[in-house]
Structure formats: structure tokens, C-alpha cells
Amino acid sequence: MENLIAPLIAAPLLGAAVLLLGGRRLDRVGHWIGTLLSTASFVIGLVLFAGLLGKDAEHRTLIQHLWTWISVGDFQADVTFRLDQLSMTFVLLITGVGSLIHLYSIGYMEHDERRRRFFGYLNLFLAAMLLLVLADNYLLLYVGWEGVGLASYLLIGFWQHKPSAATAAKKAFLVNRVGDMGLSIAIMLMFTTFGTFAFGPVFERAGDASEGRLTAIALMLLLAACGKSAQVPLQSWLGDAMEGPTPVSALIHAATMVTAGVYLIVRSAAIFNGAPDAQLVVTVAGAVTLLFGAIVGCAKDDIKKALAGSTMSQIGYMVLAAGLGPIGYVFAIMHLVTHGFFKAGLFLGAGSVMHGMNDEVDMRKYGGLRKYMPITFVTFGLGYLAIIGFPGLSGFFSKDKIIEAAFAKGGTEGWILGGAALLGAAVTAFYMTRVMLMTFFGEKRWQPDAEGHEPHPHESPRTMTIPMIVLAVGSVAGGAFFDVGERFLHWLEPVTGHAEGHSPLSALTVTGATMVCLVIGVGLAWAQYGRKPVPALAPRGSLLTRAARRDLYQDDFNHVVLVRGGEHLTRSLVYVDHTLVDGVVNGTAAGFGGLSGRLRRVQNGFARSYAVSMFGGAALLVAATLLMRAV
């Protein structure tokens, strides 16, 4: 069975190589090649999944060693893959949802001249993400980590003729480099602490390391996770990443890039369990981000950017759960999987709306689209109900579990985290209802463009609607499937561990409070956007609304603190270099130059001067000798 692990990665990697190097002769079939190889990887994943189900829980870890990559003294890095319950979950999510996005892209990118290249980049993205989650050591994981960063740069900036897309790609690339530094430092600390960076030995020896060293490693891993998963303070790239084609947004937000940080934390559970201070920082980052993203999502009129704020918030829930330790690891991954269904469906639904509205993204120019796009309306609506936690749908099961786990943390910390999660649920219901009402309800608000062309909304082709329908089914049934008999908990528990907390509130009380928050959020959105006409131009709004439209000034903060701060630091270093460093170097040179100039005067070429010098030196020697004898 383990011999099938490498082909999981090889299939999309082969697709990327063929499509990117094959030339224009593949333009007519390139999209099908990319989709078939992605689907082939999913099929291999299903075969491996069936094989794992046939084994006992303690024997569900498969290791495939390919070759020794680096061997220098005590330093050894192997190309070895690990397939266990955690990585298997990610494999099915990445390849399953990724294949649906490939199929959707066939219709969405139909008229793009560079479609073959686009599918090559999609395959590269899947291969890099699979390498990340299947690696058996942190150095190989880092290779996949950087591959994901490269692929995201290529896809976000795919329409590079647009300055905004090129800028967004560079921004995502640079912000993620900050997080990547954290991962590289963590790997170095692991090697100096444990003598290895392979998962097995690191996790086994983590209990022998000091809490301070584990905390340092965990904080560096968290920095890496914040970059990839767009968590505070490295969240600024996610909204701008919407400049890429909509299938890219779905792939990044649902199945690949932003889930990598959550995977890293949960995979490194043995390290975080020994670093309670680092776990606290993880929960704070998650709680702050889930509120940050939800507030931003409330003020965006761009449908994709509203969903981007939603992704930031939902990943915040996952990071919060991961920071709770064994109480929350399983629920973090459970919400990650259900989120993969409904968030991919929501983004693909947004792309379908854009497809029917001449690529218009401003929701104030939509309205009443349920009449023109019934399949999109129903599938998007089911994703909407899932994300707000409507009873019986997937988000209801996974997000409620996180809220319960937050309260189960106990003490003041549990109340604060649980309260933040409840508040986030209310705000989620508000902004997602706002998106739903502005897009599909009310009167039509679209107008002819500057050239007199008026949009003619219409349903998308089957290559786009079929993936949306499949994802809608997952949005409805995924949570219940995982929750019945606690099957998902029992599936992951051998890898992540699990512990029951002591919540001051019963599960029924938490569910009731969540439902109250949901009703409040929906009611407020209906009062503002359902009962009243939506104005064509956004009103000025409150101070908080204006701040949310500017992403709570995250870019302004980065510019003042990092850009200007970096400029001042650079100028200061240049000044120190010129005055101190160059001063010492040049001063030393000038001193020796002046000394040599004076000494040079002694060598004047006159014999009488040399004779006097010799006589003087001899006289000094004689005098010194006589003085020493006299003493």
C-alpha cells in the first residue's frame, strides 16, 4: 500500500510538467490533462483510504522511504512520506475539492488564451500541497511549504496584465516570506535540540526538552502558520489575493494554502502540548483573527473580498481550536474539512455570479439573481446556511464543537475565548446574510456599463454547476456524517489525541446560545438589507464601518510600522555604516598613512643623515650598557 503514496504527488506533478513544458500543441486538451491527473490522484487517495480502513487504528501509519536526500556527518535528510489518519484527511480534501475546482475551471476559463498554463499551475499547487501534508520530516515539509508559496504567487498574479493582480501576487509572496522565516528557524532549533527534524524522533523526544526551548520552537511554528493561514499579524495578503481568477480563490481558501497553517500546528501537537504559553498565544491569535475577519467581511461590497474576510474568520476558529490542545485538535480539523466543502462552494458560486454578470464583483450592482441563476442560488444558499451554523448542516456540527471546546478550556480564559467565538458566530450570520440578500434578493440593480452593454444574468454551464452541486451536498451532509457516533473523533484520535474539558456550560446551553447569536445576526442583516432598498453607492457609515472597508487599517499599520520603519532603520544603518564603520576603517588607514609619511622623512637618501643616525643609535646602546653595569 505504501508504494502508492508517491504516485499521489507524482500525478499532479506530472501534469504540471507536461502542461508547462509541452507548448501550444496542448492548448486544446491541456485542461482535460490537468483535470484527469488531479482526479487520478483523488482515486489513488480513495484506494489508500480504503486500505487504511481495513487496518487497526494503531497500524494506520504507512511510511514510504524513497531516498536519502542529504547526508553530511550527523545531518541527514530523507525523502520519506508518512500517510496516517491526519495526512489522509488532507489528501482526500486536497484532491477531492481540488479536482472539482479543476472541472469548474474548464468552463470558467474557457475563453482564456493561457488556459493550459493555468491548469499547469493548478496541478503544481496540488502537488506542492500534497508534498507538504505527506512529508515525514520538517525539512521536506518546508519544500512543499515553499512550493505552495510559489504556486500561489503564480496563480494570484495569473492575470499579470492587471497591475492590481501583479501587486497582489507580490504582496502575498512577501508577507508569506516573513512566516517562512519562522518555519526555517523552528527547523534549525529542532535540529540543535533533538539532533533531527524527522517527525517520529522529534515527537518522541519532545517530552525531554525544556519548556523554554519548546516554547521557542512552537512560537516560530505559529509565525509560519500565521503567514500561510492569514492570521493576525500576517493576514494582510488574503483580501488582495482575490485579484486572481475565482477558481484560485476557491483552491486557496478551501483546500490548500490557508489550511496549511492549521495542519502545521496540529501535526506539531507534541511540541505545543509541552509549551502552554505558546498554546495561549495560538488561541489569542485565532480569537483575534476570527473577529477581525468577520468585521472586515461586514463592510465589503466586493463579493469575493467579503468571502475572503469570511475565510480569515473561519480559519481563526480552527487556529483557536488548535490552540486549545487535545481538547480542540480534532474539532479544528473537522471544521477545516467542512469549511472546505462550503467555502469552496461559496467561492465557486461567486464565480458563477460573476460569470453571468460580466465579471462584476460589486454586490450593490446585483439584486434578484435567484430568478436568473436558480442552481447557483440554491447551491450558494446551502453553503450560506452551512457557514452560519444552521441546524443540521455541516457548519452547525463543526463550529459548535469549537465553541464548546473554547468554554471547556475553563476559567477566565475559557469564558473569554468562548465569548469571542459566540460573538464571531453572530457577526458571521450578519455578513453572510448581507451577501445573500444583496446578491440574490430584492430588485435588480445592474445598469449598462460605459459602452452601453447591460449584463444578462444566466446560469453557468454544467462544468461549473456540477462541482457546485457536489460541494453543496457536502455542505449539507458532511457535518452529520462526521459527527454520528463520533466517527471523525475516533478516526483522528490516534494521531492528535483527545481530552474532554470541563465546560461550565452544557452542550445544549452552548447550542442554544449559538442559535440566539445566529438569529440576532440574521435579523439585523434582514432589517438593514432585506426590508430596505440597497443604495447604489455605499453610505459613509460609522467609524467602524469605514475602518472595516480599509481592512481595519492593516495596510496602513504595515506601511507606517514596517515600510516606513524599515526605511528609517535602513537610513540609520547607512548612517552608522558611513560614520562609525567607514570612520574606523578610513581613520585607521589615514593614521597609518600619516605615520608612514613621517617615517618616510627619515629615509632622505643623504649619507650624512644615515651616519648621524647610526652614531646616535650606537651612542644610546653604549649609554644603556654603562648604565646597566653601574646599577
Side-chain angles (χ1 to χ4, degrees):
M1 288 290 294
E2 58 270 13
N3 292 331
L4 290 176
I5 301 176
L8 272 173
I9 305 171
L13 188 61
L14 174 63
V18 169
L19 294 176
L20 296 177
L21 302 176
R24 295 187 178 277
R25 71 191 73 180
L26 297 177
D27 283 353
R28 293 186 178 181
V29 296
H31 49 287
W32 289 113
I33 293 174
T35 303
L36 288 174
L37 286 172
S38 172
T39 306
S41 186
F42 176 60
V43 172
I44 296 171
L46 289 176
V47 172
L48 286 167
F49 177 60
L52 291 187
L53 289 178
K55 298 177 179 290
D56 296 333
E58 60 271 17
H59 297 113
R60 287 176 175 168
T61 298
L62 303 178
I63 303 295
Q64 182 181 17
H65 174 78
L66 295 186
W67 67 81
T68 297
W69 177 16
I70 304 171
S71 181
V72 180
D74 295 333
F75 183 90
Q76 180 166 323
D78 297 323
V79 177
T80 304
F81 300 131
R82 168 187 292 258
L83 184 72
D84 55 19
Q85 292 93 321
L86 179 60
S87 53
M88 187 75 256
T89 302
F90 275 84
V91 164
L92 294 178
L93 175 67
I94 294 163
T95 58
V97 176
S99 296
L100 291 173
I101 293 172
H102 275 70
L103 178 61
Y104 177 94
S105 300
I106 293 174
Y108 190 87
M109 301 294 290
E110 181 179 3
H111 302 295
D112 195 293
E113 296 179 352
R114 301 168 67 234
R115 182 166 63 165
R116 170 184 52 82
R117 184 177 294 273
F118 179 79
F119 276 83
Y121 292 159
L122 287 184
N123 273 197
L124 179 63
F125 211 150
L126 291 193
M129 190 65 191
L130 287 171
L131 177 61
L132 191 159
V133 299
L134 288 169
D136 188 45
N137 62 73
Y138 283 96
L139 190 62
L140 190 59
L141 180 150
Y142 187 79
V143 176
W145 192 271
E146 291 302 314
V148 168
L150 171 62
S152 66
Y153 169 78
L154 296 172
L155 285 168
I156 294 171
F158 183 75
W159 287 328
Q160 55 198 8
H161 59 277
K162 297 166 53 180
S164 57
T167 301
K170 288 188 289 185
K171 183 177 182 180
F173 192 80
L174 291 174
V175 172
N176 273 274
R177 295 292 73 71
V178 178
D180 295 351
M181 284 297 297
L183 182 55
S184 63
I185 293 172
I187 294 173
M188 297 176 198
L189 289 173
M190 286 178 198
F191 189 77
T192 57
T193 304
F194 307 113
T196 181
F197 35 69
F199 288 164
V202 168
F203 300 155
E204 290 172 3
R205 302 170 192 172
D208 300 328
S210 67
E211 183 177 321
R213 180 56 66 96
L214 291 178
T215 300
I217 296 173
L219 289 176
M220 290 298 99
L221 292 174
L222 173 61
L223 179 62
C226 286
K228 276 289 185 288
S229 294
Q231 299 293 285
V232 172
L234 299 178
Q235 79 284 11
S236 62
W237 65 270
L238 192 63
D240 295 299
M242 298 304 98
E243 290 292 336
T246 301
V248 175
S249 304
L251 193 62
I252 288 177
H253 288 244
T256 54
M257 187 167 179
V258 296
T259 65
V262 181
Y263 169 80
L264 181 65
I265 295 174
V266 176
R267 175 59 81 186
S268 307
I271 295 173
F272 282 92
N273 290 341
D277 291 338
Q279 285 185 320
L280 176 61
V281 178
V282 174
T283 58
V284 171
V288 170
T289 307
L290 77 86
L291 293 175
F292 187 106
I295 293 171
V296 168
C298 290
K300 295 295 185 182
D301 293 331
D302 183 320
I303 187 172
K304 289 175 65 177
K305 290 192 175 183
L307 294 178
S310 167
T311 297
M312 194 185 303
S313 179
Q314 297 304 307
I315 299 294
Y317 273 104
M318 301 171 206
V319 171
L320 167 61
L324 297 173
I327 300 175
Y329 288 138
V330 172
F331 304 132
I333 302 302
M334 182 176 175
H335 192 54
L336 186 150
V337 175
T338 60
H339 177 264
F341 286 118
F342 59 69
K343 183 51 62 66
L346 288 169
F347 266 110
L348 296 188
S352 180
V353 170
M354 293 167 58
H355 179 80
M357 292 292 292
N358 295 345
D359 290 328
E360 178 61 64
V361 296
D362 189 349
M363 293 185 292
R364 294 185 180 276
K365 298 179 182 178
Y366 291 165
L369 291 180
R370 70 184 188 281
K371 304 174 185 177
Y372 306 92
M373 311 178 71
I375 297 177
T376 301
F377 167 65
V378 172
T379 55
F380 192 97
L382 291 173
Y384 151 73
L385 292 175
I387 193 174
I388 68 173
F390 190 83
L393 275 71
S394 61
F396 169 79
F397 293 98
S398 59
K399 191 160 64 175
D400 271 25
K401 292 291 186 183
I402 293 177
I403 298 174
E404 292 175 22
F407 280 110
K409 182 69 174 176
T412 304
E413 183 183 340
W415 282 103
I416 293 174
L417 296 175
L422 276 177
L423 178 59
V427 182
T428 299
F430 174 83
Y431 70 73
M432 285 306 304
T433 303
R434 174 180 181 266
V435 170
M436 198 72 187
L437 292 173
M438 292 179 70
T439 302
F440 294 102
F441 291 87
E443 299 298 325
K444 70 172 189 177
R445 298 184 298 274
W446 57 87
Q447 299 292 333
D449 58 22
E451 299 178 357
H453 299 144
E454 182 175 336
H456 296 284
H458 56 279
E459 192 57 87
S460 300
R462 289 184 180 180
T463 53
M464 296 174 64
T465 57
I466 289 175
M468 292 159 55
I469 293 171
V470 174
L471 291 169
V473 172
S475 299
V476 172
F481 177 79
F482 292 143
D483 193 61
V484 170
E486 296 186 329
R487 63 181 69 188
F488 196 73
L489 189 155
H490 296 315
W491 166 257
L492 279 182
E493 190 174 10
V495 179
T496 63
H498 181 67
E500 296 291 340
H502 303 286
S503 176
L505 302 176
S506 67
L508 185 60
T509 302
V510 172
T511 299
T514 306
M515 290 302 99
V516 170
C517 291
L518 185 152
V519 171
I520 292 174
V522 172
L524 290 175
W526 171 256
Q528 186 169 350
Y529 298 97
R531 298 179 58 187
K532 304 176 184 177
V534 177
L537 296 176
R540 188 166 184 269
S542 64
L543 178 61
L544 180 59
T545 301
R546 297 196 299 273
R549 287 175 186 153
R550 298 189 60 173
D551 299 331
L552 297 180
Y553 303 111
Q554 56 182 323
D555 284 332
D556 303 83
F557 175 83
N558 290 342
H559 185 75
V560 171
V561 175
L562 300 178
V563 177
R564 289 187 179 177
E567 290 175 351
H568 291 309
L569 176 62
T570 301
R571 292 193 186 104
S572 300
L573 292 175
V574 170
Y575 176 78
V576 170
D577 182 62
H578 286 171
T579 57
L580 182 61
V581 179
D582 287 355
V584 171
V585 174
N586 295 336
T588 302
F592 277 102
L595 178 63
S596 62
R598 287 172 173 77
L599 290 175
R600 192 164 53 245
R601 296 176 183 175
V602 178
Q603 302 293 331
N604 55 19
F606 295 110
R608 58 181 180 273
S609 297
Y610 299 155
V612 171
S613 298
M614 294 172 64
F615 177 76
L620 288 174
L621 288 174
V622 171
T625 302
L626 294 175
L627 181 61
M628 292 176 65
R629 286 185 176 182
V631 173

